[in-house]
Amino acid sequence: MMEPLETTTTPIESTADQNQAEIHFEDRPIKCVDCGDNFIWTGGEQVFFHDKGLKNEPKRCKTCKQAKNERLAAIAAAQSSGVRQRIEVSVQCAQCGQQTTVPFYPSQGRPVYCRTCFLAAQGTDASVAQA
């Protein structure tokens, strides 16, 4: 894991000429929302985002972005061919930490449980509802 660098989060504007403003971007470390590793958002990538008018900075490192695009492409290909595709995503249970698979893509910030913990929580909810 890389150490965060001291950088500025906003572009620096310097006016060499009254009519033309230059914007300089510095490399910035960003934490990937999928794998949790830090990656560097380079100045060149920031210039590209700025030139294209993109407002949101990237959320995923290049490896996770490529994996996400491949998943989406596979789903789109299956849907266009009429095949119903069952997915299995490997996750870590939010309660016990056990590795398990689930038949959906988890949402960010929402806990995912293994079958045992999920059924235990459901049993607790059912007994509370009956009382």
Side-chain angles (χ1 to χ4, degrees), residues 34 88-102 106 112-117:
D34 287 345
E88 286 205 2
V89 179
S90 182
V91 296
Q92 189 172 10
C93 176
Q95 188 166 349
C96 69
Q98 176 182 344
Q99 195 71 21
T100 188
T101 59
V102 293
V112 178
Y113 302 105
C114 66
R115 182 171 180 80
T116 307
C117 295

Side-chain angles (χ1 to χ4, degrees), residues 1-6 28-42 57-64:
M1 203 155 134
M2 298 189 312
E3 291 291 320
L5 303 172
E6 289 290 326
R28 290 187 37 212
I30 298 176
K31 188 172 185 172
C32 177
V33 297
D34 287 345
C35 67
D37 289 342
N38 282 335
F39 66 96
I40 301 297
W41 188 26
T42 66
E57 61 187 37
K59 293 194 259 184
R60 292 176 179 83
C61 63
K62 289 181 181 176
T63 305
C64 292

Side-chain angles (χ1 to χ4, degrees), residues 25-128:
F25 294 94
E26 295 181 14
D27 291 357
R28 290 187 37 212
I30 298 176
K31 188 172 185 172
C32 177
V33 297
D34 287 345
C35 67
D37 289 342
N38 282 335
F39 66 96
I40 301 297
W41 188 26
T42 66
E45 292 167 335
Q46 293 176 51
V47 168
F48 175 81
F49 273 57
H50 180 266
D51 290 347
K52 296 293 181 184
L54 303 173
K55 301 294 180 195
N56 298 324
E57 61 187 37
K59 293 194 259 184
R60 292 176 179 83
C61 63
K62 289 181 181 176
T63 305
C64 292
K65 180 177 171 54
Q66 182 179 3
K68 179 186 176 203
N69 288 341
E70 289 171 359
R71 281 194 313 265
L72 293 175
I75 291 169
Q79 288 175 343
S80 67
S81 67
V83 175
R84 297 280 301 170
Q85 185 180 22
R86 181 175 171 96
I87 60 168
E88 286 205 2
V89 179
S90 182
V91 296
Q92 189 172 10
C93 176
Q95 188 166 349
C96 69
Q98 176 182 344
Q99 195 71 21
T100 188
T101 59
V102 293
F104 58 89
Y105 291 109
S107 298
Q108 286 181 3
R110 300 200 56 194
V112 178
Y113 302 105
C114 66
R115 182 171 180 80
T116 307
C117 295
F118 179 77
L119 293 175
Q122 292 296 317
T124 303
D125 291 344
S127 62
V128 170

